[in-house]
Amino acid sequence: MSASSTELSGLRRPRTQGRLAAALAIGILASGPLLAGSVLAQSDPAGAPRSLLPPSSVASPGLPDDRGIGSTLVPGAEAPRAEVPRAEVPGGEEQPRAPAGTLVETLSPSPVDDSPLGREGIFIDSLEPIDPATVGVLTERDPGGFGGDVWAGLERRDVAALLRDIPADLASPTLRDLLRRLLLTSAAAPTGARPEAGTPGLLGLRAERLFALGETRALSRLLEVAPERTGDELLDRTRLQTRLITGREQEACRLGQQGVAEHGGVWWSRALIFCQLAAGEEDAALLGLDLLREQERLQGGDQADSDFLQLANALLGIGRAPDRPQPTALNLAMLAKLQARPDVTLLSEAPLGRSEQLLGLQSLPASDRVALAERAAAAGVLPGERLADFYGVFGFDSAALEGALDADLDPADPQARALLFQALTARSLPPERVELLSRYLSGTRAQGVALAGFQAALPVVVELPPAAALARWAAAPGRTLFYGARLEQALAWFENAGSASAQWPEAMAARRLLWPYARLAGTPAAGWTDFDSWAGDAMAAGLDSETVALLAAALFGLGEPDALSAAGLQGASAVSPPRPERLAALQAAGQASRAGEALLHMPAVLGARTAGELHPLELAAILEALVSLDLGREARQFAMEALASRGL
């Protein structure tokens, strides 16, 4: 089967007035109370598909000219000049010569008209300073960039509120990628007055959210083009912390000294004390700690951080480090210098954005580091190849690797998953590799980190030939390839499973599991005549009704209204989705093609859940909004993410 007509990015469909609202009105998705009216309705009277191509000519915001343009020369009448004696010079040419003590004005200034239009029609005005809110590293001409009007329809205060709503523990690789691209985009500033002095600006808020999400590499790119001095304390704090966690400690401490002088306050005092401790300036650090305690007392308890004081004292040789310090960038940096081992509960309680800092603690046990790396990779914080590196913290001998296939391993043990992964990469025979892959992915799925397993295993899976003899194990490589957007190879495994389904029951089961992925990828997915027939077989084989309903909602959101007929019949959730007003706002933004607003509503809808934990209405609303923004490839990817994170 050719994949040319089924590319993941090729989703385009007309947006029909009130499709989702109409479906809800007749009780297809949920049997209980639903959103009132047309909360999730879409309206496009024309009903025409929207172009996937960006606008042909949108001017990208410029950067400041540092050549120092001064003033405008205004022509005017010259004032009378005194006669100046001329002197003989070699060559016979005379030059002006002023008598001693005579003041000569080479050009007398003419009066300047105070009106915007100067004399002789020349416009006089000073250049407006570049708004830091427009700064970015991506434009619509760059891969992944959005348009210069991405904030259209929003005021600054609206964008600020939406940015603050982004959860730091966002557990969706697809939405993380979209947010990263959005926050890196250079675009015209939203409407509304610039923030007052002492209030975070839009650039500072964008940078802080990238830092909170753990998008350190993207943030470093943004900071490279950001102005050095904006007066935005939040931006300055973020810049210092980024320098610190990327190993540029001296630069961070230079920024800390500037911040103490420009901003002051408890936070900057802590940064300065850290730098003094790092430089071995113990007397200065002791004095700073005394002053810090007084500052915290005067400024209130909300400024206090007893963990910082305890960590600083431990670096001075006084007492021991706390077991579970607040996971701030400064505290984790001091914990690393102490080479102290924190309580393992800190690893599960700390925000995902601090995962890379925690993974840098060499004092952590190998099993705990691997478990944290899997959690971070499943959320999209850590790339799959980095997870593969962390599996290497365990050193297995050749006998252990050779016996991994037959060993009785506990999938809940990170060391067992590391052994299976290393054996998978070490073996060369396809039958052994595909069986090891199946066991490894079963372990990651059982631990709720299936997306991490797909990402880590993809480079190995692309090397496996989709031979007919391997059809019994087609589910593991097929799902990995579908999720990794390797459509042609994925379909080959799906078709092999179909061809062998009459011979091996395992091949039939693999085909049943791969059918939803093929449908979400936009292919015909032969084997079942319609969604209802597949759902009946799948539930008879043990698939839960909630997963069936979620798949129906996903197909509906991707433009297949007939798929919903099974959702009500198969027991879709009777509980109304939380925060229906958020869904209404997402729906409105998607219908109006307000990309920035819609993309910021999506992570707020998801919260700290995985995509597989969404209510069917929430999943359908997010997918419809993505499609309306011409983000069909991302919509299909998010739909697969939802099913995979449920364990399908």
Side-chain angles (χ1 to χ4, degrees):
M1 177 182 298
S2 173
S4 62
S5 62
T6 55
E7 291 294 333
L8 293 178
S9 59
L11 178 64
R12 290 181 58 184
R13 63 175 175 84
R15 289 171 287 154
T16 307
Q17 173 76 27
R19 289 195 311 102
L20 183 52
L24 301 181
I26 61 174
I28 293 178
L29 255 184
S31 59
L34 296 175
L35 303 182
S38 58
V39 168
L40 294 176
Q42 287 194 357
S43 61
D44 187 347
R50 303 175 58 226
S51 172
L52 292 176
L53 297 177
S56 59
S57 59
V58 177
S60 58
L63 295 177
D65 188 341
D66 60 359
R67 292 172 293 177
I69 298 177
S71 60
T72 304
L73 177 62
V74 181
E78 295 186 2
R81 300 187 184 183
E83 290 293 335
V84 180
R86 311 185 78 83
E88 295 282 345
V89 296
E93 194 172 332
E94 292 186 347
Q95 295 293 332
R97 183 180 64 187
T102 302
L103 177 62
V104 179
E105 295 181 350
T106 57
L107 178 62
S108 298
S110 301
V112 177
D113 192 343
D114 290 334
S115 64
L117 279 179
R119 300 176 65 177
E120 299 187 12
I122 297 180
F123 186 79
I124 304 171
D125 199 2
S126 59
L127 294 177
E128 286 292 330
I130 295 297
D131 188 343
T134 66
V135 172
V137 296
L138 293 178
T139 70
E140 62 182 4
R141 297 179 180 86
D142 298 311
F146 293 99
D149 61 347
V150 73
W151 303 123
L154 290 173
E155 293 191 5
R156 288 177 191 259
R157 61 186 179 186
D158 300 326
V159 179
L162 289 169
L163 286 172
R164 293 188 180 98
D165 278 349
I166 297 174
D169 270 347
L170 185 62
S172 166
T174 306
L175 294 189
R176 275 179 171 270
D177 177 66
L178 286 165
L179 272 179
R180 182 191 311 115
R181 291 158 50 189
L182 174 65
L183 298 178
L184 288 178
T185 294
S186 173
T191 57
R194 294 193 186 188
E196 299 176 357
T199 304
L202 181 55
L203 177 59
L205 289 168
R206 287 160 55 201
E208 188 276 335
R209 281 297 87 186
L210 285 170
F211 180 78
L213 289 167
E215 298 293 339
T216 309
R217 292 166 184 79
L219 174 56
S220 297
R221 293 178 61 198
L222 181 62
L223 292 176
E224 286 176 2
V225 299
E228 283 290 334
R229 299 292 182 88
T230 63
D232 188 335
E233 183 181 2
L234 182 61
L235 180 61
D236 291 343
R237 286 191 187 190
T238 305
R239 196 191 304 271
L240 183 149
Q241 293 175 101
T242 306
R243 298 285 193 273
L244 181 63
I245 66 177
T246 54
R248 299 157 71 178
E249 192 173 283
Q250 289 185 342
E251 292 182 32
C253 289
R254 176 180 58 80
L255 294 173
Q257 292 174 341
Q258 293 177 1
V260 169
E262 294 179 10
H263 305 297
V266 168
W267 193 92
W268 292 100
S269 295
R270 293 193 192 114
L272 182 60
I273 291 168
F274 169 83
C275 292
Q276 291 166 341
L277 291 168
E281 300 171 0
E282 295 188 358
D283 291 341
L286 283 168
L287 177 60
L289 286 169
D290 289 338
L291 295 174
L292 177 62
R293 292 185 183 94
E294 183 64 15
Q295 276 183 299
E296 291 181 341
R297 185 185 67 80
L298 293 174
Q299 296 187 21
D302 59 335
Q303 295 283 333
D305 183 354
S306 59
D307 293 328
F308 178 87
L309 295 174
Q310 193 173 345
L311 286 161
N313 283 329
L315 282 170
L316 289 166
I318 306 170
R320 59 184 297 275
D323 291 330
R324 293 165 59 188
Q326 293 184 43
T328 66
L330 285 174
N331 286 354
L332 294 180
M334 289 196 289
L335 201 64
K337 286 188 176 295
L338 287 165
Q339 297 183 355
R341 176 181 295 184
D343 191 294
V344 293
T345 57
L346 176 65
L347 305 185
S348 58
E349 295 172 356
L352 284 167
R354 303 279 62 81
S355 296
E356 287 206 74
Q357 258 192 297
L358 287 165
L359 288 169
L361 298 177
Q362 300 300 317
S363 59
L364 289 179
S367 292
D368 296 320
R369 294 179 75 195
V370 165
L372 176 59
E374 288 177 331
R375 176 173 168 251
V381 179
L382 199 71
E385 59 267 20
R386 291 286 308 282
L387 173 58
D389 292 339
F390 277 104
Y391 283 135
V393 300
F394 292 103
F396 300 109
D397 57 26
S398 57
L401 293 173
E402 290 173 4
L405 194 58
D406 301 319
D408 183 16
L409 301 174
D410 180 6
D413 183 3
Q415 185 171 354
R417 296 194 294 276
L419 174 59
L420 289 169
F421 185 85
Q422 288 192 37
L424 167 65
T425 59
R427 293 294 183 91
S428 58
L429 296 177
E432 295 176 339
R433 298 186 88 177
V434 75
E435 193 171 349
L436 284 165
L437 173 69
S438 298
R439 294 190 62 187
Y440 164 68
L441 292 181
S442 294
T444 58
R445 187 166 62 252
Q447 296 305 302
V449 289
L451 302 182
F454 289 157
Q455 295 177 72
L458 183 61
V460 179
V461 175
V462 295
E463 299 175 356
L464 287 173
L470 305 178
R472 286 177 292 178
W473 298 281
R479 283 184 288 193
T480 303
L481 291 164
F482 273 121
Y483 184 75
R486 302 300 183 99
L487 187 54
E488 187 173 352
Q489 288 177 277
L491 288 173
W493 283 97
F494 176 67
E495 291 171 355
N496 279 345
S499 301
S501 59
Q503 182 180 2
W504 291 308
E506 299 92 340
M508 182 63 188
R511 190 186 196 193
R512 187 185 306 115
L513 287 172
L514 291 178
W515 188 87
Y517 285 88
R519 286 290 303 274
L520 292 177
T523 70
W528 285 267
T529 56
D530 52 31
F531 181 88
D532 290 349
S533 59
W534 173 86
D537 285 355
M539 294 187 69
L543 188 63
D544 61 281
S545 60
E546 287 77 13
T547 301
V548 172
L550 201 64
L551 174 59
L555 292 172
F556 178 86
L558 294 172
E560 298 188 27
D562 57 323
L564 275 181
S565 60
L569 297 174
Q570 305 298 345
S573 173
V575 180
S576 295
R579 302 187 67 181
E581 71 285 354
R582 178 72 74 176
L583 290 186
L586 171 60
Q587 171 79 8
Q591 287 179 350
S593 296
R594 297 194 298 267
E597 181 182 353
L599 292 172
L600 290 179
H601 278 305
M602 292 174 193
V605 169
L606 181 62
R609 298 173 293 174
T610 67
E613 295 173 299
L614 285 169
H615 187 283
L617 292 180
E618 294 175 314
L619 178 61
I622 290 175
L623 295 179
E624 283 202 316
L626 288 171
V627 171
S628 70
L629 298 174
D630 292 333
L631 294 171
R633 181 184 64 83
E634 290 83 353
R636 294 194 183 281
Q637 187 70 23
F638 188 69
M640 290 188 196
E641 178 185 315
L643 271 296
S645 58
R646 278 196 70 87
L648 184 64

